[in-house]
Amino acid sequence: MALKEYTDEKLMELVAKNNHDALNELVERYQGPLFNFLSIYIKDPATAEGAAAESFFRVWKYAKKFNTKQKFKTWLFTIARNQGNTLLTSQNKRPGSIEGLFDTGDSESNAFDPSDPRESNPEQLLNQQNQAERIGITLMKLPVNLREALMLAVQPELSYSDVAEILGCSIVAVKMRIHKARLKFKQYMDNK
């Protein structure tokens, strides 16, 4: 059976036995989603990359302590969240920046090409960029606990149950936080 067919938890059993290929498979599965989450959470892509790498290092280091009856992805995102909080605390920053969600970091890819028929007009592009910036600023106004729940809930890999486990609260509490976050977000957007 190929490693790609193994469950995350079965791979962790192999990682606990020092199987590097099993760890590589988990990295392949989760490096993108984890980096996306940390980029938004930390704000700095370079720091997020380091935090993701450190999270996977901790997976390797503490593999023998992993309980295979729990979900690997919630354990991984909990490690990443804690790693992000540690980095932010050491840098005296607040978690939860959403700016990375709207900035690819590649200014060339955002350039307007008038010869491309798929391109919108420059005014429309400017309006879209302004709207994205406004959304990012508004999200930053949300209380950390609401913003954090919302940011985790939009990760396609995570269910509400996963988010509840990561945040250490009930599914009902997660749903309430997301509901409150949406209401406050709408209120902030309407007041601008």
Side-chain angles (χ1 to χ4, degrees):
M1 186 178 201
L3 288 177
K4 291 192 180 304
E5 298 173 18
Y6 282 40
T7 65
D8 297 341
E9 294 72 26
K10 180 63 179 166
L11 288 170
M12 278 304 296
E13 287 178 16
L14 295 173
V15 171
K17 296 174 184 172
N18 294 324
N19 185 317
H20 293 273
D21 293 332
L23 179 65
N24 288 338
E25 178 61 29
L26 289 169
V27 170
E28 284 293 317
R29 289 181 188 182
Y30 289 101
Q31 68 183 349
L34 198 66
F35 175 75
N36 290 340
F37 167 69
L38 286 166
S39 290
I40 295 168
Y41 197 69
I42 295 174
K43 180 181 176 179
D44 176 27
T47 306
E49 193 173 316
E54 179 65 24
S55 297
F56 284 115
F57 171 75
R58 289 174 185 269
V59 165
W60 176 260
K61 183 177 178 180
Y62 298 108
K64 289 183 173 112
K65 294 183 179 185
F66 175 72
N67 177 358
T68 56
K69 292 180 181 169
Q70 72 181 103
K71 287 185 180 178
F72 169 76
K73 64 185 171 185
T74 57
W75 188 63
L76 174 63
F77 274 82
T78 301
I79 290 170
R81 176 179 167 243
N82 291 340
Q83 185 63 27
N85 284 337
T86 300
L87 286 170
L88 291 169
T89 301
S90 70
Q91 297 172 356
N92 290 325
K93 293 181 180 178
R94 292 178 57 210
S97 172
I98 200 75
E99 292 169 12
L101 186 62
F102 304 109
D103 180 20
T104 63
D106 180 6
S107 58
E108 294 257 338
S109 69
N110 294 331
F112 174 67
D113 180 1
S115 65
D116 188 345
R118 297 171 296 168
E119 289 284 356
S120 305
N121 65 49
E123 185 177 332
Q124 187 176 7
L125 286 175
L126 184 60
N127 286 339
Q128 289 172 350
Q129 288 175 339
N130 288 340
Q131 181 67 6
E133 185 175 318
R134 184 173 167 222
I135 289 169
I137 290 168
T138 302
L139 284 170
M140 290 305 295
K141 290 181 180 179
L142 293 175
V144 173
N145 67 329
L146 301 183
R147 186 172 58 241
E148 189 173 60
L150 192 59
M151 288 172 23
L152 286 167
V154 299
Q155 300 300 316
E157 299 79 14
L158 300 176
S159 66
Y160 280 171
S161 174
D162 297 334
V163 173
E165 190 173 329
I166 291 166
L167 296 178
C169 63
S170 69
I171 294 173
V172 172
V174 167
K175 289 179 180 180
M176 288 176 59
R177 288 179 189 181
I178 292 168
H179 179 72
K180 286 180 184 178
R182 288 179 177 153
L183 289 176
K184 284 190 176 289
F185 180 83
K186 183 178 180 343
Q187 177 187 5
Y188 293 150
M189 288 294 281
D190 289 346
N191 287 335
K192 282 198 169 195

